[in-house]
Amino acid sequence: MTAGSIHSSPAVHRQPPAAERARTIAAAPAVSLYGLGLGICQLWGATTTDAGDVLLVVPTDGVVTAALRDTPLGDVPARLTVTERTPFPVPHPVRGLVQLTGLVASVAEYDVTRLVLDFADVRTCDSLFDVGLSATLLRLEPAEVHLEEAGGTTDVGLDEFLAARPDPVSRAENALVAEHCHALVRLAARIQRRVGRHDSIRLLALDRYGVRFRVQGSAGCYDLRVPFVAPLGGPAGFGAAVDRLLTCGP
């Protein structure tokens, strides 16, 4: 659930498109893989690269690689679930999840090195060093993308998902919180005055469209978005955008 800004502005309804949120979550490290007829499969790492390749690192002697060797079709139906958790101390830390359903297939030998490097550009994974030895790199070709967050589910078009890019502010949120800690504390204090002193306000997330807080009250919790006046192009404008929020409105 989202709520309004602390100032009156047309930006009150501004939030990331579903495809952008899905791409951002898809690069998160918390993943699980379910293979049709295989159940939950051992997975050492997964990510969606900036180019849109959904890559998996699995044990070479695991059930997925065995299934690929045995099938005459060359692929295995599977569902990859990626969960995004906030790095900040809040109740119910899950911010959202994405389910990518499609076909898992082998990666051509000539493409392995390039894709390992693309994987590493998004996030670190120690098992990448074992690819070609005890680990195998696979590719998931998604057919369906489902986004779940704030109590709702959205079907994201595959073309939209592949065309979208991960949120650059979300990627840098730990560094941004460290750099702009005092301004974010002041922003939280303004939110506190608006929602009431008996409700708990915790920072939940940063993105290029604004700042999200989790509000915990006697009736439950909900997420409240404080949108920027305009979406940011990257982390460089974050400090100025928060300062503008602090100087707007009552």
Side-chain angles (χ1 to χ4, degrees), residues 27-88:
V31 291
S32 65
L33 181 67
Y34 179 89
L36 184 63
L38 304 176
I40 300 296
C41 304
Q42 190 173 11
L43 183 63
W44 287 348
T47 198
T48 300
T49 70
D50 290 341
D53 293 302
V54 182
L55 302 177
L56 317 173
V57 182
V58 300
T60 298
D61 59 358
V63 295
V64 181
T65 50
L68 285 172
R69 286 193 298 267
D70 294 341
T71 179
L73 300 176
D75 50 47
V76 174
R79 180 181 67 242
L80 181 71
T81 301
V82 189
T83 304
E84 183 189 56
R85 299 177 181 273
T86 180
F88 313 120

Side-chain angles (χ1 to χ4, degrees), residues 14 22-23 33 41 56 60 64 81 83 112-113 136-137 156 171 191-192 194 207 213-214 217 230 234 237 242 244 250:
R14 187 173 291 122
R23 278 298 298 271
L33 181 67
C41 304
L56 317 173
T60 298
V64 181
T81 301
T83 304
V112 170
T113 299
T136 296
L137 185 71
V156 179
R171 277 186 168 184
I191 296 294
Q192 186 77 67
R194 176 160 181 168
D207 56 52
F213 293 92
R214 181 147 292 169
V242 173
R244 185 169 183 179

